[in-house]
Short mmCIF file of all heavy atoms in Angstrom, two decimals:
data_model
loop_
_atom_site.label_atom_id
_atom_site.label_comp_id
_atom_site.label_asym_id
_atom_site.label_seq_id
_atom_site.Cartn_x
_atom_site.Cartn_y
_atom_site.Cartn_z
N GLU A 320 4.04 7.31 5.17
CA GLU A 320 5.46 6.94 5.33
C GLU A 320 5.83 5.86 4.32
O GLU A 320 6.88 5.91 3.70
CB GLU A 320 5.71 6.43 6.75
CG GLU A 320 5.60 7.49 7.82
CD GLU A 320 6.86 8.35 7.91
OE1 GLU A 320 7.95 7.83 7.63
OE2 GLU A 320 6.74 9.55 8.23
N PHE A 323 5.97 7.36 0.85
CA PHE A 323 7.18 8.14 0.64
C PHE A 323 8.39 7.24 0.47
O PHE A 323 9.26 7.47 -0.38
CB PHE A 323 7.41 9.11 1.80
CG PHE A 323 8.71 9.86 1.68
CD1 PHE A 323 8.86 10.83 0.70
CD2 PHE A 323 9.78 9.57 2.51
CE1 PHE A 323 10.06 11.50 0.55
CE2 PHE A 323 10.98 10.23 2.35
CZ PHE A 323 11.13 11.20 1.38
N TYR A 324 8.43 6.19 1.27
CA TYR A 324 9.54 5.24 1.19
C TYR A 324 9.67 4.70 -0.24
O TYR A 324 10.76 4.65 -0.82
CB TYR A 324 9.28 4.09 2.17
CG TYR A 324 10.34 3.01 2.20
CD1 TYR A 324 11.43 3.10 3.06
CD2 TYR A 324 10.23 1.87 1.40
CE1 TYR A 324 12.39 2.11 3.11
CE2 TYR A 324 11.19 0.87 1.46
CZ TYR A 324 12.26 0.99 2.31
OH TYR A 324 13.21 0.00 2.36
N ARG A 328 12.35 5.75 -3.68
CA ARG A 328 13.13 4.76 -4.41
C ARG A 328 12.68 4.67 -5.87
O ARG A 328 12.94 3.69 -6.55
CB ARG A 328 13.01 3.42 -3.71
CG ARG A 328 13.90 3.38 -2.49
CD ARG A 328 13.31 2.62 -1.35
NE ARG A 328 14.18 2.72 -0.18
CZ ARG A 328 14.14 3.75 0.69
NH1 ARG A 328 13.30 4.74 0.51
NH2 ARG A 328 14.96 3.78 1.71
N GLY A 329 11.99 5.69 -6.29
CA GLY A 329 11.67 5.81 -7.71
C GLY A 329 10.39 5.15 -8.16
O GLY A 329 10.03 5.19 -9.33
N GLU A 331 6.71 4.88 -9.05
CA GLU A 331 5.75 5.92 -9.41
C GLU A 331 4.59 5.95 -8.42
O GLU A 331 4.20 4.92 -7.88
CB GLU A 331 5.19 5.64 -10.83
CG GLU A 331 6.24 5.78 -11.90
CD GLU A 331 5.96 4.87 -13.09
OE1 GLU A 331 5.75 3.66 -12.87
OE2 GLU A 331 5.94 5.39 -14.22
N LEU A 339 0.06 -0.64 -2.16
CA LEU A 339 -0.45 -0.54 -0.79
C LEU A 339 -1.91 -0.98 -0.69
O LEU A 339 -2.30 -1.67 0.25
CB LEU A 339 -0.30 0.89 -0.26
CG LEU A 339 1.14 1.36 0.00
CD1 LEU A 339 1.14 2.79 0.53
CD2 LEU A 339 1.84 0.44 0.99
N ALA A 342 -2.09 -4.77 -1.01
CA ALA A 342 -1.66 -5.44 0.23
C ALA A 342 -2.76 -5.37 1.28
O ALA A 342 -3.05 -6.34 1.98
CB ALA A 342 -0.39 -4.78 0.76
N MET A 378 6.54 -13.73 -7.64
CA MET A 378 7.80 -14.22 -8.18
C MET A 378 8.14 -15.58 -7.60
O MET A 378 7.91 -15.82 -6.42
CB MET A 378 8.91 -13.24 -7.87
CG MET A 378 9.30 -12.46 -9.09
SD MET A 378 10.29 -11.08 -8.61
CE MET A 378 9.02 -9.89 -8.28
N LEU A 380 10.67 -17.53 -6.20
CA LEU A 380 12.03 -17.36 -5.69
C LEU A 380 12.63 -18.69 -5.23
O LEU A 380 11.93 -19.50 -4.70
CB LEU A 380 12.03 -16.36 -4.53
CG LEU A 380 11.84 -14.90 -4.95
CD1 LEU A 380 11.50 -14.06 -3.75
CD2 LEU A 380 13.10 -14.37 -5.61
N LYS B 51 10.79 14.63 0.74
CA LYS B 51 9.76 14.18 1.66
C LYS B 51 8.74 15.28 1.92
O LYS B 51 9.11 16.43 2.15
CB LYS B 51 10.40 13.77 2.98
CG LYS B 51 9.40 13.19 3.96
CD LYS B 51 10.06 12.51 5.12
CE LYS B 51 8.99 11.85 5.99
NZ LYS B 51 9.53 10.95 6.97
N ALA B 71 17.37 8.25 -0.68
CA ALA B 71 17.59 8.60 0.71
C ALA B 71 17.52 7.32 1.52
O ALA B 71 16.63 6.52 1.36
CB ALA B 71 16.51 9.56 1.18
N ILE B 78 6.26 -2.24 5.42
CA ILE B 78 5.10 -2.17 4.52
C ILE B 78 4.45 -3.55 4.46
O ILE B 78 4.77 -4.37 3.61
CB ILE B 78 5.52 -1.70 3.11
CG1 ILE B 78 6.42 -0.45 3.21
CG2 ILE B 78 4.29 -1.41 2.27
CD1 ILE B 78 6.89 0.07 1.88
N SER B 84 10.34 -8.66 -2.98
CA SER B 84 10.78 -8.86 -4.37
C SER B 84 9.88 -8.08 -5.34
O SER B 84 10.36 -7.50 -6.31
CB SER B 84 10.78 -10.34 -4.72
OG SER B 84 9.54 -10.91 -4.41
N GLN B 88 11.14 -5.16 -7.83
CA GLN B 88 10.93 -5.24 -9.28
C GLN B 88 10.25 -3.97 -9.78
O GLN B 88 10.60 -3.42 -10.83
CB GLN B 88 10.07 -6.46 -9.63
CG GLN B 88 9.97 -6.66 -11.14
CD GLN B 88 8.88 -7.65 -11.55
OE1 GLN B 88 7.99 -7.96 -10.77
NE2 GLN B 88 8.97 -8.15 -12.77
N ALA B 93 10.70 0.98 -12.73
CA ALA B 93 10.44 2.43 -12.82
C ALA B 93 11.71 3.15 -13.27
O ALA B 93 11.68 4.04 -14.11
CB ALA B 93 9.95 2.96 -11.47
N LYS B 96 12.40 2.46 -16.92
CA LYS B 96 11.50 3.23 -17.77
C LYS B 96 12.04 4.65 -17.98
O LYS B 96 12.05 5.15 -19.11
CB LYS B 96 10.11 3.28 -17.10
CG LYS B 96 8.97 3.43 -18.08
CD LYS B 96 7.65 3.18 -17.36
CE LYS B 96 6.59 4.15 -17.81
NZ LYS B 96 5.38 4.05 -16.96
N ARG B 113 18.74 -12.31 -7.57
CA ARG B 113 19.49 -13.37 -6.88
C ARG B 113 20.98 -13.07 -6.84
O ARG B 113 21.64 -13.25 -5.83
CB ARG B 113 19.26 -14.71 -7.59
CG ARG B 113 17.96 -15.37 -7.23
CD ARG B 113 18.15 -16.89 -7.13
NE ARG B 113 16.89 -17.55 -6.79
CZ ARG B 113 16.14 -18.21 -7.66
NH1 ARG B 113 16.52 -18.31 -8.92
NH2 ARG B 113 15.04 -18.79 -7.26
N ASN B 131 10.52 -5.00 4.85
CA ASN B 131 11.00 -4.63 6.19
C ASN B 131 10.20 -5.20 7.36
O ASN B 131 10.54 -4.96 8.51
CB ASN B 131 11.05 -3.09 6.35
CG ASN B 131 12.13 -2.47 5.48
OD1 ASN B 131 13.21 -3.03 5.35
ND2 ASN B 131 11.83 -1.34 4.89
N GLU B 143 18.36 -2.42 2.44
CA GLU B 143 18.55 -1.09 1.86
C GLU B 143 19.77 -1.08 0.92
O GLU B 143 19.75 -0.46 -0.13
CB GLU B 143 18.77 -0.05 2.97
CG GLU B 143 17.56 0.14 3.88
CD GLU B 143 16.40 0.88 3.21
OE1 GLU B 143 16.64 1.96 2.64
OE2 GLU B 143 15.27 0.38 3.25
N GLN B 146 18.91 -2.54 -2.28
CA GLN B 146 18.17 -1.59 -3.13
C GLN B 146 19.13 -0.67 -3.85
O GLN B 146 18.97 -0.36 -5.03
CB GLN B 146 17.21 -0.76 -2.29
CG GLN B 146 16.08 -1.58 -1.70
CD GLN B 146 15.20 -0.72 -0.82
OE1 GLN B 146 14.90 0.41 -1.14
NE2 GLN B 146 14.80 -1.27 0.30
#
Side-chain angles (χ1 to χ4, degrees):
Chain A
E320 291 281 328
F323 175 71
Y324 180 89
R328 282 144 185 84
E331 293 151 308
L339 290 181
M378 254 166 273
L380 286 166
Chain B
K51 184 167 185 168
I78 312 179
S84 53
Q88 187 193 17
K96 207 168 140 189
R113 280 218 180 104
N131 291 321
E143 295 288 309
Q146 293 177 41

